[in-house]
Amino acid sequence: MNIAIIFAGGTGQRLKSGQDSLPKQFLKIHNKPIIVHTLDIFQQHPLIDKIYIAIHPDYYDYMQELVQHYYITKTAGIVAGGATGQDSIYNALKLAQSQNPDDSLVLIHDGVRPNVAPEVIDANIKCAKEHGNAVTATPCYETILISENGINPKQVPYRKNTYKAQAPQTFKLCEIVKAHEKTRKTNPKYENIVDSCTLFKSLHKQTYMVNGNQGNIKITTIEDLYILRALIRFREDLEALGIDSKE
């Protein structure tokens, strides 16, 4: 069983859009909410069996309406998100665990990362089957600075050794749930845990990278909205011309 866990429990405080102050996951790009663009990718992927969604409690009913309106038929459950992104993921994982075998693979993905390529999903599933997990990543093309005070660089790692972690991040269902439960005992607020890869590495567990696509951006700022709009339009134009966007 291959399960997508889509989390979108935030309120988008870093993005001011003007669209009636909606959380960013519900902002429309080409007349469709961002989260629906994301869900469509997993809905259409032949290797994905089920989708679970974690959403902000205030928008639970609205999310149900969107799932029905846009025919996201693989949706197996919607849960209320928690205080943090990791809380939201945990809530969705627990629901998935109650309904699926423990050896299922779960692909954990941001609801506001709506441009992941299907072949990246393929690579995640293949890697996780071989090694137990997979973390989508892309090489950094700019120099990374590490600074503790935000003023002076303390360290400049070699660029060839730096990567950007993206999503999906894929794990065996039982193992990622155990990782969450172990962490919640000592770090219930998930302090300094920014994603599932960080969670796994904090427990000294080995992780494996797969190549992502550079257009797989997470929508955080207004500028990201403009980039996403252009990427989606470009992809649609290629499809209208009969050109495979992967080429």
Side-chain angles (χ1 to χ4, degrees):
M1 190 73 71
N2 299 318
I3 300 165
I5 300 288
I6 310 298
F7 65 101
T11 56
Q13 295 299 314
R14 286 174 289 182
L15 188 152
K16 303 297 182 183
S17 69
Q19 292 187 39
D20 298 324
S21 300
L22 278 173
K24 58 188 176 182
Q25 58 266 33
F26 298 118
L27 301 181
K28 289 187 177 181
I29 298 292
H30 300 309
N31 298 313
K32 188 161 64 175
I34 289 172
I35 191 168
V36 176
H37 283 286
T38 303
L39 291 168
D40 269 342
I41 295 169
F42 292 91
Q43 170 71 24
Q44 296 172 19
H45 198 287
L47 297 181
I48 299 299
D49 301 299
K50 292 183 178 182
I51 300 171
Y52 291 85
I53 306 166
I55 203 71
H56 191 283
D58 291 349
Y59 295 91
Y60 182 90
D61 292 339
Y62 183 45
M63 189 71 250
Q64 287 187 314
E65 293 173 10
L66 290 178
V67 163
Q68 294 174 4
H69 180 75
Y70 289 99
Y71 301 103
I72 311 299
T73 57
K74 291 183 181 178
T75 303
I78 302 173
V79 300
T84 68
Q86 295 306 311
D87 282 311
S88 298
I89 291 169
Y90 178 71
N91 292 347
L93 286 170
K94 290 299 289 182
L95 177 59
Q97 188 180 42
S98 71
Q99 299 176 353
N100 299 282
D102 270 347
D103 62 353
S104 300
L105 295 181
V106 288
L107 292 84
I108 300 170
H109 195 79
D110 307 273
V112 290
R113 199 183 286 273
N115 204 41
V116 59
E119 59 267 28
V120 175
I121 295 174
D122 293 338
N124 266 260
I125 293 171
K126 180 180 179 181
C127 181
K129 284 182 176 179
E130 292 178 359
H131 301 293
N133 62 70
V135 175
T136 304
T138 56
C140 289
Y141 295 140
E142 299 184 66
T143 301
I144 301 298
L145 305 180
I146 298 174
S147 174
E148 295 179 355
N149 59 12
I151 300 173
N152 310 110
K154 182 178 181 180
Q155 184 180 352
V156 183
Y158 289 115
R159 185 168 60 186
K160 68 178 182 179
N161 295 332
T162 60
Y163 295 80
K164 295 178 291 185
Q166 297 181 329
Q169 298 183 3
T170 304
F171 304 86
K172 290 182 179 179
L173 178 56
C174 60
E175 291 185 3
I176 191 64
V177 170
K178 287 179 182 177
H180 271 273
E181 292 179 342
K182 185 173 183 178
T183 298
R184 291 169 74 88
K185 290 178 181 179
T186 58
N187 185 7
K189 294 183 179 180
Y190 291 101
E191 293 179 3
N192 299 319
I193 303 294
V194 297
D195 62 5
S196 300
C197 176
T198 311
L199 175 70
F200 235 52
K201 294 299 290 182
S202 72
L203 298 174
H204 308 291
K205 294 179 178 290
Q206 182 73 279
T207 53
Y208 297 84
M209 297 190 301
V210 298
N211 290 328
N213 58 297
Q214 289 290 341
N216 183 20
I217 62 174
K218 180 181 178 183
I219 305 305
T220 305
T221 67
I222 288 290
E223 290 80 6
D224 295 332
L225 286 174
Y226 290 121
I227 294 170
L228 175 63
R229 184 180 289 116
L231 286 169
I232 291 176
R233 177 62 69 195
F234 180 64
R235 188 174 65 220
E236 290 175 347
D237 288 345
L238 288 178
E239 291 172 355
L241 292 171
I243 301 172
D244 190 337
S245 61
K246 293 182 289 185
E247 296 178 353

